[in-house]
Amino acid sequence: MSTQAKRYRIGYALVPKKVQSFIQPSLINLASRHNIDLIAIDPSKSLIEQGSFDCVIHKLYSSDWKLQLERFSLENPNVPIIDSPDSIERLHNRISMLEVVRRLNISKRSEVLDVPKQVVVLDSENLKGNGVIGELRFPILAKPLVADGSAKSHEMYQIFDSEGLKRLDAPIILQDFVNHGGVIFKVYVAGDYVQCVKRKSLPDISQEKLATLKGSLPFSLISNLTVPEKNEGFDIVVDLEKVEMPPLGFVEEVAKAMRQETGLNLFNFDVVRDAKDGNRAEKCLLETLKMETSKAI
């Protein structure tokens, strides 16, 4: 007598934009063929009363939702929640985000993992002079302190001089800009599964070009510069096909160490190579990804 394979109920709680992007018919059909039913969770209703789940995957961060998950976990201690709100919360602050990387235990090898130098500015008055940047040197990157996925958390700028600092509002983080060949390596992690892909990034800036650049530019504007004669001095010609990927063993080791340090199972991080040293992974930024791993899988 044949026994019917168990079907698994995976509940997902995502903002509508993420649902439209990732919960496609192809994904639903693929999951179904593997005995997985993807069930939409309504965060406005009691999670406990929405049926039994074998796993809950979410990308919501409100205090009400956190309380919902806590109650659900008490009632269903054996059901995995991916990921824990407490583990995710530390990644909503770019200071604690980079501290994660500093604590990683990576074996000695030819590749070196590091984080950019940075200065935290809590008072906008301090942005009126060069003194705030400390050891940093222009150009620098300006990023909001909070990294919660909101539109404001994505308002980032490349700053070329002290005048560019004056348009910023604190709290904010100023970071070294590292020439990295205009390429960023995005690493997607889903449990033990790791995939690294190449994407175009901010273009390199030579010292000669830097002398001609003034004020600041938002990341979005820099990313949209596609015509060489209109690039305002940026070197934007990048052939991704010719860019060598970081060694897979190195990427997997970093991903494993991040899982152990953060307690997360579904996330991504970015790595860039310092253009001055082709083997150096000069900057590594970690942020929550959740269902966005479907971009790589």
Side-chain angles (χ1 to χ4, degrees), residues 239-256:
D239 186 350
L240 288 179
E241 293 296 324
K242 296 181 179 179
V243 176
E244 183 179 356
M245 297 285 284
L248 180 59
F250 171 67
V251 171
E252 290 179 337
E253 184 177 2
V254 172
K256 181 179 179 180

Side-chain angles (χ1 to χ4, degrees), residues 53-71:
F53 297 104
D54 295 289
C55 178
V56 172
I57 297 175
H58 72 106
K59 194 180 173 69
L60 302 175
Y61 310 117
S62 70
S63 56
D64 289 342
W65 174 246
K66 182 178 179 180
L67 184 60
Q68 283 250 49
L69 290 178
E70 290 173 349
R71 290 172 176 169

